[in-house]
């Protein structure tokens, strides 16, 4: 879990979850936790021999409403000592427990010795637990002096609904309540049991509610088919059952990218993100198929008649646009592609044209997804309601600059799934900064091109597929390290460069280019799904292809649009948070993506995975918690310091700094025009420096060390198990090479529990 830490000029140390609420939001909805109180000595219940001497006032008490409990008096009418409420029994050995504060490892061990086995963190200071006690007062007594239990909910038959995904229960009409569903519409569910449950014993119980089709001893899950909602409700009452959720059948579709990124969750509550209102430029090998139903009403194509460019529906362009913003529709029951045509090739050809394989009965089958007989044949992009502006990549930097100068609101971000066309004659350009408008793209992100100010927008580039193409000394054979294989303009400082991983297991693909750049900078920045093994020699990311069909391809060209679609959702989210599009720096989106990424490969950043796999939901959480901010240093040697308040018991403190550096000029050999440095200082004045990598040839595989970074426009500091207290995050302008304007920057700060 990622949590925001306070950022302010002067910030007091915050108490952990002061004033804990009795209500906690679970996946299944809000749940009220019942208070737990141990009897106090002054209010101890009278002994049995004292009971005859007491009489109860008229009226009966209402259960659970102590404020309405009648007064107790002695025979003379005077007030008598209040007896403690009757201890409440717990009818389940699985409960939700709300503690005074979040638990430490030592406290968990102490509680286990008392018969309270804490299992999983739920939220706030609430955990699931297995208990031996049968009374709430016993729980309070057992936890006293360790970390007092203040609230409890028994996961018993009364609260069985807590253990069921709401989508399985729905809101059926009265006549449908509990009714068996038609045989043609069975409900497939996944039933997870508690970790200490005997699977064979549970199998016997669960089989009474439906047909078991799969058992996983590793996940403690059963897959079965039930015939009614009421069967699910009764199944949830079993003590062995932990949770019940729907089963999703895997299919050959683009949603595996959707799920890897997390866009399927972002489309639901509480985010409801679709990319609506965001305009994405796609510069590619041709134009996106104008008649493809995936883009109906949301596609503009630059015909560019003045240059006399011959346009055609381009397979690669259409596939890329489909991953970004396709709505998933197609009008022919086809899957384009074959085992021999599954990877994009060297530019400008953009790979093999995928052959259409039409089903034998396609001519007589009705149009649309239903024609295949598979209701899951739907291929949505990451941001299915975003608009697409389609261009070819000839003079891409020129066209983009012109568009932003003449119509600055016409476009919000750009995807570039292209790069240098490598040949044996231009290998010296591999990993360098200069070719194909690299500086121009950096200038757009930094907001200045010469004396002209342009609107700053995020720019995404694919890292390239040079690692196994046999050009420039690259090979998958042993002895070929294949570093420094990023293709320009993906070598730019301010662009977001994307490498490709396998969608199913996050393994590095065999083709994705690696860093560093020639001047030693970390690339790629992040990775995303760019291929998928489909079995039987087939592989590829499934997306739209001309004219109205679907097809599959592999390449970093497929990974870049997954990130472009993600950024489109982040832009939409910024609008919901009240930010104007033009007020958010491109470096802010880069910092958020990097900060929320999952670290893959060696610990810390590396030249293979960059800062890791893009994850949308953790990134949106950072945005919701306002864990980011923007500022500007005006002059060299200026230091801006932020107080970071770290609560107790945090596993990690993470700070990410990013800035859109001024473009490197043609005569400049230094990587950075403006060099900012990040330093994190603990309450005891201990200094923590950012990650740095060894760029010496042959040393690129070394694990990231710590030091002062004078190469990169992204710096990140992490501290494991940080001490609680006031930390300082200092940003120093070590070098301001640009004569005017200072340097804007973005900072993201969070702690992890």
């Amino acid at each position: 879990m990622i949590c925001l830490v306070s950022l302010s000029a002067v910030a007091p140390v915050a108490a952990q979850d002061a004033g804990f609420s009795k209500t906690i939001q679970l996946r299944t909805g809000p749940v009220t936790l019942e208070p737990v109180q141990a009897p106090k000595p002054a209010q101890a219940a009278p002994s049995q021999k004292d009971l005859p001497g007491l009489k109860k006032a008229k009226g009966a008490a209402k259960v659970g409403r102590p404020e309405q409990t009648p007064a107790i008096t002695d025979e003379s009418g005077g007030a008598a000592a209040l007896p403690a409420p009757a201890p409440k029994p717990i009818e389940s050995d699985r409960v939700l427990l709300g503690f005074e504060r979040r638990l430490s490892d030592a406290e968990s061990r102490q509680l286990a010795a008392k018969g309270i086995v804490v299992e999983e963190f739920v939220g706030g200071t609430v955990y699931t637990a297995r208990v031996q006690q049968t009374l709430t007062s016993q729980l309070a007594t057992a936890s006293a002096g360790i970390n007092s239990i203040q609230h409890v909910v028994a996961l018993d038959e009364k609260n069985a609904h807590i253990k069921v995904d709401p989508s399985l229960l729905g809101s059926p009409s009265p006549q449908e309540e509990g009714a068996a569903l038609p045989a043609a519409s069975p409900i497939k569910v996944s039933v997870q049991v508690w970790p200490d449950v005997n699977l064979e014993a549970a199998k016997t119980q669960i089989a009474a509610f439906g047909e078991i089709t799969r058992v996983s001893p590793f996940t403690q899950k059963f897959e079965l088919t039930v015939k009614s909602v009421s069967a699910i409700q009764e199944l949830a009452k079993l003590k062995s059952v932990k949770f019940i959720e729907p089963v999703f059948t895997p299919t050959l579709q683009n949603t595996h990218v959707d799920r890897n990124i997390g866009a399927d969750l972002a489309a639901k509550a509480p985010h409801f993100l679709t990319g609506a209102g965001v305009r994405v430029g796609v510069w590619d090998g041709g134009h996106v198929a104008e008649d493809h139903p995936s883009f109906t009403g949301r596609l503009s194509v630059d015909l560019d008649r003045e240059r006399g460019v011959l346009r055609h529906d381009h397979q690669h362009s259409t596939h890329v646009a489909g991953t970004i913003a396709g709505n998933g529709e197609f009008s022919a029951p086809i899957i384009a592609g074959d085992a021999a045509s599954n990877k994009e090739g060297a530019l400008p050809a953009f790979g093999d044209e995928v052959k259409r394989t039409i089903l034998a009965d396609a001519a007589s089958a009705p149009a649309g997804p239903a024609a295949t007989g598979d209701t899951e044949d739907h291929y949505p992009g990451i941001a299915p309601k975003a608009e697409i502006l389609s261009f070819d990549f000839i003079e891409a930097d020129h066209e983009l600059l012109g568009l932003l100068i003449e119509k600055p609101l016409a476009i919000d971000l750009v995807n570039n799934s292209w790069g240098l066309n490598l040949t044996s004659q231009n290998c010296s350009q591999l990993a360098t900064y200069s070719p194909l408008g690299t500086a121009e793209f950096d200038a757009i992100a930094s907001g200045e091109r010469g004396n002209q100010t342009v609107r700053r927008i995020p720019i995404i580039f694919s890292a390239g597929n040079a690692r196994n193409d046999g050009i420039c000394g690259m090979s998958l054979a042993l002895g070929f390290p294949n570093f420094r294989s990023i293709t320009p303009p993906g070598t730019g400082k301010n662009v977001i460069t994307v490498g490709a991983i396998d969608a199913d297991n996050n393994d590095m693909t065999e083709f994705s280019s690696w860093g560093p750049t020639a001047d030693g900078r970390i690339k790629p920045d992040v990775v995303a799904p760019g291929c998928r093994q489909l079995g039987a020699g087939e592989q590829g990311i499934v997306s739209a292809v001309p004219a109205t069909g679907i097809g599959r391809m592999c390449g970093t060209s497929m990974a870049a649009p997954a990130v472009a679609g993600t950024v489109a959702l982040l832009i939409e989210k910024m609008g919901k948070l009240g930010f104007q599009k033009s007020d958010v720096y491109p470096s802010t989106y880069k910092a958020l993506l990097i900060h929320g990424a999952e670290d893959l490969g060696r610990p810390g950043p590396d030249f293979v995975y960059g800062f890791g796999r893009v994850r949308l939901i953790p990134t949106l959480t950072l945005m919701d918690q306002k864990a980011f901010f923007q500022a500007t240093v005006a002059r060299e040697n200026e230091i801006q310091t932020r107080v970071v308040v770290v609560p107790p018991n945090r596993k990690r403190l993470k700070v990410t700094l990013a800035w859109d550096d001024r473009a490197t000029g043609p005569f400049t050999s230094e990587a950075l025009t403006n060099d900012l440095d990040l330093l994190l200082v603990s309450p005891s004045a201990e200094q923590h420096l950012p990650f740095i990598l060894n760029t010496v040839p042959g040393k690129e595989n070394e694990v990231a060390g710590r030091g002062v970074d004078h190469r990169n426009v992204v710096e990140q500091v992490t501290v494991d198990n940080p001490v609680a207290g006031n930390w300082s995050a200092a940003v120093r302008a070590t070098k301001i090479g640009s004569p005017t304007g200072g340097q804007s920057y973005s900072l993201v700060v969070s702690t992890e529990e």
Side-chain angles (χ1 to χ4, degrees):
M1 180 179 180
I2 297 175
C3 297
L4 173 66
V5 295
S6 301
L7 292 175
S8 59
V10 178
V13 177
Q16 188 184 68
D17 289 339
F20 171 69
S21 173
K22 295 180 181 179
T23 301
I24 184 169
Q25 183 69 34
L26 302 180
R27 172 180 172 183
T28 49
V31 172
T32 299
L33 303 178
E34 301 173 9
V36 173
Q37 292 181 342
K40 296 181 180 180
Q43 294 180 320
S47 63
Q48 186 65 34
K49 65 179 182 180
D50 293 330
L51 291 178
L54 301 177
K55 64 179 181 180
K56 188 161 51 175
K58 294 181 180 180
K62 294 184 179 180
V63 177
R65 298 290 298 276
E67 68 275 14
Q68 297 183 17
T69 301
I72 304 294
T73 62
D74 59 21
E75 292 182 343
S76 64
L82 289 175
K88 184 175 181 179
I90 298 173
E91 298 180 359
S92 172
D93 60 350
R94 267 355 193 272
V95 294
L96 300 179
L97 296 179
F99 289 85
E100 180 182 13
R101 60 186 179 277
R102 278 183 287 276
L103 294 166
S104 67
D105 290 341
E107 289 170 338
S108 296
R109 290 192 294 270
Q110 288 177 290
L111 289 168
K114 298 278 189 176
I116 303 171
V117 181
V118 177
E119 295 175 319
E120 293 181 1
F121 176 71
V122 175
T125 58
V126 179
Y127 301 78
T128 62
R130 175 166 51 89
V131 298
Q132 297 176 358
Q133 291 79 2
T134 59
L135 300 176
T136 56
S137 59
Q138 291 176 326
L139 290 175
T141 301
S143 63
I146 302 174
N147 189 336
S148 64
I149 295 172
Q150 299 183 336
H151 300 86
V152 64
V153 166
L155 297 176
D156 53 16
E157 292 188 10
K158 183 184 71 173
N159 293 314
H161 65 280
I162 294 175
K163 303 193 289 183
V164 184
D165 188 297
S167 66
L168 290 174
L169 299 179
S171 301
S173 60
Q175 63 268 26
E176 294 174 332
E177 180 70 32
L181 296 176
S185 303
I187 307 175
K188 292 184 178 181
V189 297
S190 174
V191 181
Q192 184 176 16
V193 297
W194 295 98
D196 62 321
V197 169
N198 181 282
L199 285 183
E200 288 303 316
K203 184 176 181 180
T204 302
Q205 291 180 316
I206 293 171
F209 294 88
E211 180 183 359
I212 296 176
T213 56
R214 182 178 302 170
V215 180
S216 173
F218 302 105
T219 62
Q220 296 284 108
K221 289 183 178 180
F222 295 83
E223 186 177 303
L224 72 155
T225 302
V226 297
K227 294 184 178 181
S228 68
V229 172
S230 61
I232 297 175
Q233 294 169 328
E234 292 301 313
L235 180 59
K237 294 179 181 179
L238 294 178
K239 288 185 177 182
S240 60
V241 170
K242 181 179 181 181
F243 200 78
I244 305 174
E245 58 189 355
V247 169
F248 299 97
T249 303
T251 59
L252 299 179
Q253 58 181 5
N254 212 22
T255 51
H256 56 270
V257 176
D258 221 29
R259 292 168 185 164
N260 189 292
I261 293 289
D264 56 330
L265 299 177
K268 304 173 183 177
H271 303 291
F272 300 109
L273 298 176
T274 61
V278 180
R279 309 190 77 188
V280 184
V282 175
W283 268 260
D284 216 289
H287 72 67
V288 177
E290 297 179 71
D291 296 329
H292 203 292
S294 272
F295 313 107
T296 301
R298 296 180 296 109
L299 173 65
S300 300
V301 176
D302 174 32
L303 296 179
D304 203 5
R305 293 186 180 91
E306 292 183 1
R307 284 200 287 118
V309 177
L310 177 64
R311 297 282 184 168
H312 64 283
D313 287 356
H314 198 277
Q315 174 242 335
H316 187 278
S317 307
T318 305
H319 194 283
V320 165
T323 297
I324 297 171
N327 64 16
E329 296 299 329
F330 63 98
S331 60
I334 63 169
I335 297 286
D338 56 40
S341 179
N342 53 31
K343 184 172 113 30
E344 58 162 336
L347 298 180
F350 279 94
D352 302 327
E353 290 291 323
V354 176
K355 299 177 182 179
R356 293 174 122 197
T357 304
I358 303 177
L359 299 181
D361 59 349
S364 60
T372 65
D374 188 348
T375 58
E376 295 296 322
D377 281 349
H378 193 63
Y379 303 86
I382 301 296
K385 291 189 178 181
E387 296 181 54
I388 294 291
L389 287 77
S390 176
F391 303 81
D392 70 25
F393 55 61
I394 305 300
E395 298 181 348
D397 54 339
H398 166 80
E399 287 184 328
L400 178 56
L401 276 168
L403 183 64
L404 289 170
I405 291 171
E406 295 176 2
K407 300 178 181 179
L409 301 181
I411 195 167
D412 299 314
L413 74 148
V414 176
N415 183 81
N416 297 278
S417 287
W418 57 272
L420 178 68
N421 181 19
L422 286 177
T423 69
S424 58
Q425 283 73 45
N426 64 10
C427 289
S428 62
Q429 298 299 312
L430 191 62
T432 63
Y433 182 83
S434 57
L436 297 176
T438 305
E440 280 67 29
F441 289 111
D442 272 352
I444 292 170
S446 66
E448 187 171 348
R449 172 59 179 161
N451 295 325
Q452 196 143 28
T453 299
V454 297
R455 181 186 166 199
R456 302 169 63 176
I457 62 172
I459 300 173
I460 290 87
F461 263 97
S462 54
N465 306 322
R467 219 175 78 254
N468 71 340
D469 60 12
I471 303 174
C472 302
M474 301 293 167
S475 172
L476 294 181
L478 293 177
F480 289 82
N482 298 332
F483 291 103
R484 294 174 177 80
S485 53
I486 303 291
T487 54
T491 52
K493 294 182 291 186
N494 302 334
V495 301
I496 300 170
T497 306
V498 185
I501 56 174
D502 187 281
D504 291 321
N505 56 22
N506 299 330
D507 285 348
M508 175 53 55
T509 57
E510 65 180 11
F511 50 82
S512 185
S513 292
W514 294 348
T517 60
D519 54 15
R521 289 176 288 112
I522 296 174
K523 289 290 174 175
D525 296 294
V526 290
V527 293
C531 198
R532 187 190 188 203
Q533 305 305 315
L534 303 175
E538 298 178 349
Q539 59 181 344
I541 299 296
V542 179
S543 186
V545 295
T548 60
I550 52 175
R552 60 177 180 268
M553 295 185 74
C554 287
T556 57
S557 282
M558 285 63 253
V563 174
T566 300
V567 174
L569 297 184
L570 299 187
I571 291 173
E572 182 187 9
K573 180 70 172 181
M574 284 292 187
K576 292 188 175 186
L577 293 174
F579 294 90
Q580 297 296 317
K581 291 178 181 177
S582 58
D583 291 338
V584 183
Y585 305 150
S587 60
T588 298
Y589 293 112
K590 180 190 281 189
L592 284 165
L593 287 175
I594 286 173
H595 197 96
E598 177 190 10
D599 188 19
L600 298 176
R602 292 176 293 279
D606 57 50
F607 296 130
V608 176
Y609 297 93
F611 286 87
R613 178 177 70 94
V614 166
R615 298 183 300 169
L616 182 52
I617 298 304
T619 304
L620 293 175
T621 300
L622 292 167
M623 296 174 71
D624 279 333
Q625 296 175 335
K626 302 293 178 65
F628 64 96
F629 71 96
Q630 303 178 153
T632 299
V633 286
R635 62 190 63 86
E636 192 162 297
N637 294 322
E638 179 181 355
I639 300 174
Q640 294 186 357
T641 303
R642 301 286 170 174
V643 175
V644 180
V645 181
V646 178
N649 303 321
R650 292 303 195 260
K651 290 183 178 178
R652 175 171 292 184
L653 168 62
K654 181 191 289 187
V655 182
T656 303
L657 167 70
W659 68 97
D660 298 312
D661 193 25
R662 298 296 178 91
T664 299
F667 304 107
T668 304
S669 60
E670 295 183 18
L672 297 178
T673 301
N674 298 329
D675 183 12
L676 306 185
D677 286 307
L678 176 63
L679 179 67
L680 193 58
V681 183
S682 74
S684 61
E686 182 181 7
Q687 297 185 353
H688 297 267
L689 295 171
F691 291 111
I692 57 171
L693 293 171
N694 194 335
T695 63
V696 175
K699 303 289 186 179
E700 299 95 336
N701 272 316
E702 291 185 358
V703 175
R706 304 294 181 126
V708 180
D709 187 344
H710 295 309
R711 286 195 177 100
N712 295 285
V713 295
V714 176
E715 298 186 9
Q716 187 176 87
V717 182
T718 63
V719 179
D720 292 333
N721 303 310
V723 297
N726 290 354
W727 290 64
S728 295
V731 176
R732 176 190 176 93
T734 301
K735 180 182 74 171
I736 299 295
S738 58
T740 60
Q743 180 60 58
S744 65
Y745 67 88
S746 308
L747 201 67
V748 182
V749 184
S750 72
T751 60
E752 298 172 7
E753 294 183 326

